Amino acid sequence: MMWTTKTFLTKTKRGNILKIVREHYLRDDLLCGSSACNHCPHKENEYVLEAKPQSICALFDYDHYLVLDTNVVLHQIDILEEEALKNVIILQTVLEEVKHQNTAIFQRLLEIIGNKKRRFYSFVNEHHKDTYVERKPGEKQNDRNDRAIRKAASWYASHLSVNNLKGQIPQIVLLTDDENNRKIAQDEGIVCCSVKDYIENVNGFVGLIDKLSKNVMPESCSKDALYPAHLTPSQVHAGIRNGKLYQGTFYASRDNYLEGSAVISCFEKPILLQGHIGINRAVDGDIVAIEVLPKEEWRKPSDIVLEDKADDQGDLLEEESELLPTVKPKDKSDEEITPTGKVVGIIRRKWRQYCGILKPSKFSGATRHLFTPAERKIPHVRIETRQSDVLASQRILVALDSWPRNSRYPLGHFVRSLGPIGDKNAENEVILLEHDIPHARFSESVLACLPPEDWTIPEEEIKKRVDLRSVCICSVDPPGCTDIDDALHARALPGAATVYEVGVHIADVTYFVRPHTALDTEAASRSTTVYLVDKRIDMVPDLLSSNLCSLRGGEERLAFSCVWHIDENANILSTKFHKSVIKSRAAMTYEEAQLVIDDESREDEVATSLRTLNALAKRLKQKRLDNGALLLASPEIRFQVDSETHDPVEVQAKKMLETNSLVEEFMLLANVSVAERLARDFPQCALLRRHPAPPPAHFHTFLKAAKQQGFEIDISTNKSLSASLDRAVIPSRPFFNTLLRIMATRCMQQAVYFASGERSHDDFYHYGLACPIYTHFTSPIRRYADVMVHRLLAASAGAEATHAALLDARVAAALCHNLNYRHRQAQLAGRASVALNTHILFKNRVEIESAMVLAVKRNALQVLIPKYGLEGPIYLPSDKFMYNEEEHIQVCGDIVLKTFDELTVRLTLDSSNLQHRKLVFQLVRPCVPGFSYQPDDAQMDVEVLDVETTEVKKSLKTPNKRKNTDSTKKKKLKK
């Protein structure tokens, strides 16, 4: 063993020069990993590289090992994950560079190396005395690393030739796409090749060539440019420093592919980006450099719905920007005018793999085709494949590679097929991948953290806790719910008829999920359970979520209890927290609990407890409303699912009962009580949840629509908004107030998790609940935020010891960032699952139903069908309708259509676009000649008969209430 030293000079904050000397150890006993080597003292199980690695490439008709440079790993990871390439040497230099540049690809590479069948060998060249190279004075780090890779490749070649006594010597082939690196390697006598040349000559692996990444320098074109060149990184940094440019994240519009926005902190409104030039090849999620235009060039956001009609016949841009109104507003005081800018550079791409379908070229024998992503905010992608006939019927996964200036669309490559279009499993896989939902099976290391299936509560654990097994505790949940994480009780205190003991008991998940274990790491990564219509992606394994942690009726369970003394007016007299052992008397659905409350003949403990809870919940709710809490709404729907096919057979709007509110009120109270305790004891690292007040600009369209109906909505405070919504009632239209609340909900901002040390106390406020502080405590089975809150509360109550990570404000802030992202993605995945099952339900179905107008656009009405909670657009032809953008109304002769209007619509499914199947809403009434759907009497009878026949068939079916079979399995509100 030997070592070398490195010396660094650095300047401290006080201006002193500090000399740092680091020792770098070098060894001569590091193993090469080849079973062809007769020198390195491998044990039998240490051999990775085969003695006779047979060639699959026609360019090299001899046995060889592959050495990869860093860019090959970064850009061609999809190729490396295929079974074709084996006997590959991954150098430490490459591993460290990949880890530094892309952690996701680094993890994928580690998985390949860990698969013994793949025969990828990691060689520690940076610590081998014959392969380590010093960085020369003035040499760039990349050039030094390239030299280190070439040095290691040369050493392998000579090492194997000298120490091989087992027959033919395996040769070394260096794969690199760096032309200069290849030239130097060839001059040094190293056999090398580009990845493209190597893969194009591989035999026996059909489709491998399709996975080649097309790495084109996007700014290198000199002619036929369709987009402005992006600024260089140094130009971008200089522009941001001198205030001429701004950094922001690009968000593409889902409704208009020629429009997007970016949030910049120093502007009150998002920056509007319009047209191909304004967006300039930015893709949703990219961090971009923006030049804000002069105020006289600011515009209003577009109010049209515009889809990209992709054409595979060429890359010339059509004059699509003409479809996007950019007329200068006459009234400069117009509140809708938005700061407008253009993208001038890409700071960091946030590209990922995208799901979608292939749109084969119209030209016979063509290899270049367009890929249509499932996510509407992502542009079409041009890929090359020779399997278009097969892939045209598949859902596929594609990765983006580059976006040259002379290409209408970005370039990418095929990754893998997900299954046939329309197949339920394939479509669910698309939803999970598109929303970045971790859904792989739990690893062996995670499962090793679980107790045995026959686990029972140890007697010594019971002694540490408050024993509540004799108390009448029960749970109330949606039908079919198996992850029951909360239960309640209420009883009058002896000698105080008007004072009650009320308890909320939450599953003690942290007993099983210990900090820093594989189970804890996986739960933190997933952050939340994801509920699709027909399946559930658990945050923790099923043994915990549906069994040992679930507060099932009649079974002893560990819990964390919040217990209050409350008087008859719902005033809190005292609060205490403790770990407990409970035994639920009953696990009821909302409907079952409501029946118990309403059944006057029942006077048992369960009925008495529920009635006490219900009476107190009503008073708690009234207090919240008096404080300004908002009662908002959303069009939630519930599917009935066939017990055999798991396909939806009926859909209906979700019904709310008193028991829904009963549970909600006490969950809210528990969350507030816990938040107050944590903020007191952990002022820097308490995990809380805030709901920012929405900017007044968010209400602009909403206020105009309400005014058209004769209502002035006061948005100055949440209390005034709540009171205004309560007064906005039209007795003859009972759904009007609900629709108004749905629209108000869409003006709100997202509630987010945060660490208490990140914000001033005034920012803790939860606007929707009208409470000064709030957190999540009540659902640790399905939310990791609650797990962290349990740990903090246990430390506060003296039930558990604290640890360093629990009290680290920076760790808490990073955790909150992931929690917010995963929570949002889970919501979007749930909505996508509802859309998928709605399409399945309406596949061979026609409905004529009442609808209400949610919004009026320049070329469409957004309508809601109250019966089903479904919404969608009715596109309006410009030759019949005139749009009044001041009043947001559509006019056709004597017919005026505005927000909140009641319509009759015909609902069908359009499957002509396999990628984006969509519900089609056709106007029936009011009748617009030449536009409204007007079936003749016979056709109307047939459609009505079809609907009635469907209803009869459904009434004959009695779907089993299987685990996780409808969208309401998502736990109740518990904000």
Side-chain angles (χ1 to χ4, degrees):
M1 182 180 295
M2 57 181 292
W3 62 86
T4 182
T5 60
K6 295 181 180 180
T7 303
F8 303 91
L9 297 178
T10 183
K11 182 181 286 187
T12 67
K13 290 182 179 180
R14 294 184 177 182
N16 298 323
I17 302 298
L18 187 64
K19 183 179 180 180
I20 300 174
V21 179
R22 292 179 182 168
E23 292 184 339
H24 187 84
Y25 288 91
L26 300 176
R27 301 171 57 175
D28 59 2
D29 59 347
L30 297 173
L31 308 181
C32 70
S34 171
S35 55
C37 176
N38 195 45
H39 174 72
C40 296
H42 296 85
K43 296 179 181 178
E44 191 63 33
N45 61 353
E46 291 177 338
Y47 289 119
V48 175
L49 304 170
E50 295 174 307
K52 293 183 177 294
Q54 295 184 354
S55 173
I56 59 172
C57 179
L59 293 178
F60 308 99
D61 59 355
Y62 46 81
D63 298 346
H64 61 271
Y65 300 140
L66 294 175
V67 175
L68 312 181
D69 79 357
T70 304
N71 284 327
V72 169
V73 177
L74 288 172
H75 299 305
Q76 306 292 354
I77 188 67
D78 295 320
I79 290 282
L80 300 183
E81 287 180 328
E82 290 297 303
E83 296 288 337
L85 299 187
K86 296 183 178 180
N87 295 292
V88 178
I89 298 167
I90 303 293
L91 303 175
Q92 180 190 1
T93 305
V94 173
L95 267 177
E96 290 178 354
E97 276 197 288
V98 171
K99 182 179 181 180
H100 175 71
Q101 295 190 42
N102 193 312
T103 54
I105 290 179
F106 177 70
Q107 291 298 327
R108 292 168 70 182
L109 180 60
L110 290 183
E111 289 182 16
I112 299 171
I113 295 172
N115 184 350
K116 294 182 179 179
K117 295 180 181 179
R118 297 300 313 280
R119 297 192 176 275
F120 274 55
Y121 182 67
S122 176
F123 178 63
V124 191
N125 65 303
E126 295 288 353
H127 288 279
H128 195 291
K129 70 179 183 63
D130 295 328
T131 58
Y132 173 73
V133 298
E134 287 276 7
R135 184 176 174 183
K136 298 177 181 178
E139 185 179 32
K140 293 181 179 179
Q141 185 64 44
N142 285 342
D143 293 338
R144 180 267 169 200
N145 289 344
D146 286 344
R147 191 159 55 88
I149 293 169
R150 294 195 301 271
K151 176 76 171 178
S154 295
W155 176 84
Y156 256 102
S158 61
H159 176 78
L160 293 174
S161 65
V162 171
N163 300 293
N164 186 319
L165 298 177
K166 300 183 180 180
Q168 184 177 351
I169 302 170
Q171 303 296 307
I172 297 296
V173 176
L174 172 62
L175 288 190
T176 173
D177 284 334
D178 186 324
E179 188 174 345
N180 184 57
N181 194 27
R182 281 203 306 272
K183 185 178 184 305
I184 297 174
Q186 289 168 348
D187 292 342
E188 294 175 354
I190 302 170
V191 179
C192 55
C193 178
S194 72
V195 177
K196 183 174 184 292
D197 289 342
Y198 191 92
I199 297 300
E200 285 181 343
N201 288 279
V202 166
N203 300 315
F205 291 89
V206 178
L208 185 64
I209 193 174
D210 292 349
K211 303 195 175 189
L212 271 174
S213 175
K214 281 71 177 176
N215 293 298
V216 179
M217 293 301 291
E219 308 308 301
S220 61
C221 96
S222 58
K223 61 178 182 178
D224 299 329
L226 304 175
Y227 298 94
H230 289 144
L231 298 181
T232 64
S234 59
Q235 290 172 322
V236 167
H237 295 156
I240 292 174
R241 279 198 304 270
N242 62 33
K244 293 182 179 180
L245 302 179
Y246 300 89
Q247 176 177 316
T249 301
F250 173 71
Y251 297 101
S253 168
R254 191 181 296 274
D255 297 324
N256 188 331
Y257 78 101
L258 287 177
E259 191 167 276
S261 64
V263 177
I264 297 176
S265 58
C266 55
F267 288 86
E268 183 180 343
K269 294 183 179 181
I271 304 300
L272 177 65
L273 305 165
Q274 289 186 319
H276 293 291
I277 304 303
I279 295 173
N280 195 9
R281 294 170 289 158
V283 175
D284 188 67
D286 288 348
I287 298 177
V288 297
I290 296 167
E291 177 185 329
V292 177
L293 301 176
K295 284 191 176 182
E296 58 269 18
E297 297 183 38
W298 290 7
R299 303 282 185 265
K300 293 181 179 182
S302 171
D303 48 14
I304 68 172
V305 179
L306 190 61
E307 296 181 14
D308 186 2
K309 304 299 183 182
D311 184 0
D312 70 317
Q313 298 186 38
D315 274 331
L316 292 178
L317 285 177
E318 303 168 4
E319 294 300 322
E320 292 157 319
S321 296
E322 294 180 1
L323 300 171
L324 192 62
T326 56
V327 179
K328 295 180 183 179
K330 295 179 181 179
D331 182 4
K332 290 298 180 183
S333 65
D334 194 317
E335 294 180 2
E336 294 184 47
I337 296 175
T338 300
T340 306
K342 61 182 179 180
V343 173
V344 296
I346 304 295
I347 297 174
R348 186 165 67 249
R349 291 288 193 188
K350 198 179 179 182
W351 291 353
R352 57 177 175 82
Q353 295 178 342
Y354 299 96
C355 303
I357 64 173
L358 193 68
K359 182 181 180 182
S361 172
K362 298 174 183 177
F363 300 107
S364 177
T367 59
R368 299 180 74 212
H369 310 275
L370 279 181
F371 164 79
T372 305
E375 174 53 70
R376 292 181 182 275
K377 295 194 289 186
I378 304 302
H380 298 276
V381 183
R382 194 171 296 286
I383 70 170
E384 291 186 29
T385 178
R386 293 159 181 78
Q387 308 175 77
S388 59
D389 291 345
V390 175
L391 298 182
S393 62
Q394 303 281 310
R395 288 283 187 185
I396 65 174
L397 203 60
V398 162
L400 297 188
D401 300 325
S402 60
W403 196 339
R405 290 175 60 199
N406 60 349
S407 175
R408 168 70 171 81
Y409 298 110
L411 308 182
H413 65 273
F414 167 75
V415 176
R416 64 184 173 95
S417 172
L418 302 173
I421 295 173
D423 176 76
K424 191 72 174 293
N425 291 330
E427 300 297 340
N428 275 333
E429 180 76 2
V430 168
I431 289 173
L432 296 173
L433 288 171
E434 276 300 294
H435 296 92
D436 193 21
I437 305 297
H439 60 285
R441 296 179 62 182
F442 288 103
S443 67
E444 291 301 321
S445 60
V446 170
L447 298 178
C449 298
L450 300 177
E453 291 191 16
D454 60 351
W455 178 89
T456 56
I457 303 175
E459 195 61 39
E460 59 269 21
E461 184 62 30
I462 295 177
K463 293 177 182 178
K464 299 176 185 177
R465 296 168 177 259
V466 177
D467 192 340
L468 300 178
R469 288 175 291 183
S470 61
V471 178
C472 180
I473 294 170
C474 56
S475 63
V476 184
D477 290 280
C481 179
T482 61
D483 51 345
I484 304 172
D485 42 22
D486 58 81
L488 306 98
H489 87 272
R491 59 183 178 182
L493 288 176
T498 60
V499 178
Y500 302 93
E501 178 189 85
V502 176
V504 164
H505 312 278
I506 307 300
D508 189 4
V509 177
T510 58
Y511 176 85
F512 301 96
V513 182
R514 306 307 299 170
H516 310 307
T517 61
L519 175 58
D520 181 50
T521 301
E522 181 67 20
S525 174
R526 296 188 178 212
S527 290
T528 181
T529 293
V530 180
Y531 294 86
L532 305 184
V533 168
D534 59 343
K535 67 188 301 184
R536 186 180 79 197
I537 313 299
D538 283 320
M539 183 183 78
V540 294
D542 188 69
L543 177 63
L544 298 183
S545 63
S546 295
N547 187 354
L548 300 183
C549 290
S550 184
L551 306 183
R552 304 196 296 200
E555 299 190 27
E556 295 182 359
R557 290 290 183 261
L558 300 178
F560 206 148
S561 299
C562 174
V563 181
W564 305 276
H565 286 175
I566 304 179
D567 68 18
E568 61 182 350
N569 295 316
N571 296 311
I572 308 299
L573 305 179
S574 66
T575 307
K576 59 182 178 180
F577 306 98
H578 53 69
K579 295 287 186 86
S580 58
V581 183
I582 68 169
K583 186 175 183 180
S584 174
R585 296 283 180 90
M588 295 173 283
T589 65
Y590 293 123
E591 292 83 356
E592 290 168 346
Q594 191 66 54
L595 288 173
V596 170
I597 291 172
D598 296 340
D599 186 355
E600 296 180 359
S601 64
R602 286 196 58 168
E603 295 293 340
D604 54 86
E605 274 190 295
V606 171
T608 302
S609 178
L610 285 175
R611 290 187 187 117
T612 301
L613 290 167
N614 196 39
L616 292 172
K618 289 179 180 179
R619 292 184 174 89
L620 287 170
K621 183 174 184 177
Q622 189 57 52
K623 284 187 175 186
R624 285 198 307 110
L625 296 178
D626 292 343
N627 287 334
L630 298 172
L631 286 181
L632 301 175
S634 60
E636 295 185 62
I637 60 176
R638 174 178 172 180
F639 287 93
Q640 289 183 359
V641 180
D642 187 278
S643 60
E644 296 177 1
T645 66
H646 288 226
D647 286 342
V649 294
E650 184 53 285
V651 61
Q652 62 189 35
K654 186 178 178 181
K655 296 178 181 178
M656 300 297 289
L657 303 170
E658 273 189 2
T659 45
N660 290 81
S661 183
L662 179 159
V663 174
E664 179 187 349
E665 289 305 318
F666 285 104
M667 298 304 112
L668 294 176
L669 182 60
N671 288 336
V672 170
S673 297
V674 172
E676 292 171 344
R677 177 69 171 265
L678 296 189
R680 185 196 74 186
D681 291 351
F682 303 102
Q684 292 300 311
C685 59
L687 197 155
L688 304 175
R689 187 164 175 82
R690 61 188 288 264
H691 183 212
H698 285 198
F699 289 101
H700 181 74
T701 303
F702 170 73
L703 295 178
K704 273 190 176 180
K707 193 170 184 179
Q708 288 175 346
Q709 300 296 320
F711 297 103
E712 293 284 346
I713 306 295
D714 183 356
I715 62 168
S716 57
T717 66
N718 50 359
K719 189 169 185 176
S720 63
L721 174 59
S722 178
S724 296
L725 292 174
D726 289 342
R727 290 192 297 268
V729 175
I730 301 177
S732 61
R733 300 173 61 188
F735 191 73
F736 170 79
N737 188 260
T738 300
L739 184 59
L740 193 69
R741 294 178 189 274
I742 290 173
M743 293 180 64
T745 302
R746 296 179 182 187
C747 299
M748 300 294 148
Q749 298 194 85
Q750 284 282 314
V752 292
Y753 297 105
F754 70 102
S756 53
E758 291 182 277
R759 297 274 177 176
S760 67
H761 205 276
D762 290 342
D763 289 337
F764 291 8
Y765 192 73
H766 195 294
Y767 179 86
L769 297 176
C771 60
I773 193 168
Y774 190 68
T775 192
H776 272 162
F777 162 74
T778 53
S779 295
I781 291 177
R782 65 185 184 93
R783 291 187 308 227
Y784 191 76
D786 304 57
V787 172
M788 293 301 296
V789 166
H790 275 231
R791 289 174 180 164
L792 287 166
L793 186 62
S796 173
E800 295 278 353
T802 60
H803 52 87
L806 191 64
L807 304 179
D808 191 323
R810 289 177 299 179
V811 171
L815 175 68
C816 288
H817 178 77
N818 187 56
L819 290 172
N820 291 326
Y821 171 72
R822 293 294 183 200
H823 177 74
R824 176 65 177 161
Q825 294 304 107
Q827 285 183 318
L828 295 175
R831 293 173 193 170
S833 179
V834 168
L836 169 63
N837 282 270
T838 301
H839 294 165
I840 294 172
L841 179 67
F842 280 88
K843 186 176 181 180
N844 298 305
R845 184 168 177 169
V846 176
E847 295 276 355
I848 294 179
E849 289 291 345
S850 297
M852 295 186 74
V853 179
L854 270 174
V856 179
K857 302 286 187 180
R858 182 176 295 273
N859 65 335
L861 302 174
Q862 191 75 8
V863 300
L864 171 72
I865 299 178
K867 177 180 177 181
Y868 295 130
L870 301 175
E871 63 179 276
I874 298 177
Y875 292 99
L876 305 177
S878 58
D879 60 334
K880 291 186 178 295
F881 288 87
M882 181 174 293
Y883 176 59
N884 183 323
E885 63 179 317
E886 295 297 325
E887 298 296 325
H888 293 290
I889 61 175
Q890 289 280 359
V891 181
C892 177
D894 296 334
I895 297 174
V896 177
L897 299 176
K898 57 186 182 297
T899 307
F900 297 114
D901 279 358
E902 294 181 354
L903 313 173
T904 302
V905 300
R906 180 176 184 262
L907 185 60
T908 57
L909 180 69
D910 178 9
S911 298
S912 58
N913 183 337
L914 293 178
Q915 175 61 286
H916 295 130
R917 290 186 176 94
K918 57 186 178 182
L919 291 174
V920 176
F921 294 76
Q922 293 175 277
L923 185 64
V924 177
R925 294 184 183 86
C927 180
V928 177
F931 173 69
S932 294
Y933 177 76
Q934 293 179 295
D936 55 37
D937 292 340
Q939 188 174 357
M940 178 67 87
D941 289 343
V942 170
E943 290 190 357
V944 172
L945 182 59
D946 285 343
V947 173
E948 290 176 348
T949 303
T950 304
E951 295 297 326
V952 170
K953 288 180 178 178
K954 285 184 291 191
S955 67
L956 295 175
K957 284 181 177 280
T958 307
N960 293 335
K961 291 182 180 178
R962 296 169 64 93
K963 172 183 167 184
N964 307 326
T965 55
D966 65 62
S967 62
T968 60
K969 289 197 170 44
K970 188 175 292 186
K971 295 289 289 182
K972 47 212 161 290
L973 185 60
K974 298 182 188 171
K975 297 193 177 54

